């Protein structure tokens, strides 16, 4: 049982280039698979597709929350979930506490 791996920036770019069709496999219930999203918080907060603004990560997290028992979602981020995830809205902040176990890795940067 594997999972897909994609960066938050790449998801934003998929939406900018292809609209909702570009992120459908991450949001449509019949197409969702287990997913890991890398570097959440480093993507452009708002992506535009032909003038339509969208906070892509916010939408993906909202829709995946509805199916959290069928598919797993993993995130990596340098954001503090208690302080900085407000950029995705209060709804997502509340759901993050339900969807994820936060594992803080301290120490020297491994970049």
């Amino acid at each position: 049982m594997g999972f897909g791996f994609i960066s938050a920036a790449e998801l934003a770019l998929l939406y900018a280039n292809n609209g909702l069709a570009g992120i459908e496999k991450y949001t449509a219930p019949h197409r969702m698979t287990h997913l890991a999203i890398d570097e959440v918080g480093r993507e452009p907060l708002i992506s535009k597709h032909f003038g339509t603004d969208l906070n892509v990560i916010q939408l993906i997290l909202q829709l995946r929350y509805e199916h959290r028992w069928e598919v797993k979602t993993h995130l990596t981020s340098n954001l503090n979930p208690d302080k900085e995830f407000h950029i995705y809205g209060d709804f997502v902040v509340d759901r993050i506490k339900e969807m994820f176990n936060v594992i803080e890795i301290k120490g020297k940067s491994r970049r």
Side-chain angles (χ1 to χ4, degrees), residues 69-87:
W69 305 115
E70 295 112 39
V71 294
K72 302 295 181 205
T73 306
H74 305 272
L75 301 179
T76 68
S77 180
N78 288 330
L79 298 179
N80 180 325
D82 293 324
K83 298 177 184 171
E84 299 171 295
F85 266 77
H86 68 277
I87 60 175

Side-chain angles (χ1 to χ4, degrees), residues 7-24:
S7 72
E10 190 173 349
L11 287 167
L13 187 59
L14 284 171
Y15 172 77
N17 289 335
N18 305 303
L20 290 174
I23 59 172
E24 180 183 19

Side-chain angles (χ1 to χ4, degrees), residues 37-66:
I37 305 173
D38 193 29
E39 292 291 337
V40 170
R42 296 199 39 141
E43 77 283 357
L45 189 57
I46 300 297
S47 297
K48 284 185 184 268
H49 177 70
F50 289 106
T52 303
D53 293 352
L54 182 67
N55 184 325
V56 175
I57 299 301
Q58 177 184 35
L59 176 68
I60 289 172
L61 292 177
Q62 286 175 344
L63 294 173
R64 292 185 69 87
Y65 171 79
E66 300 300 325

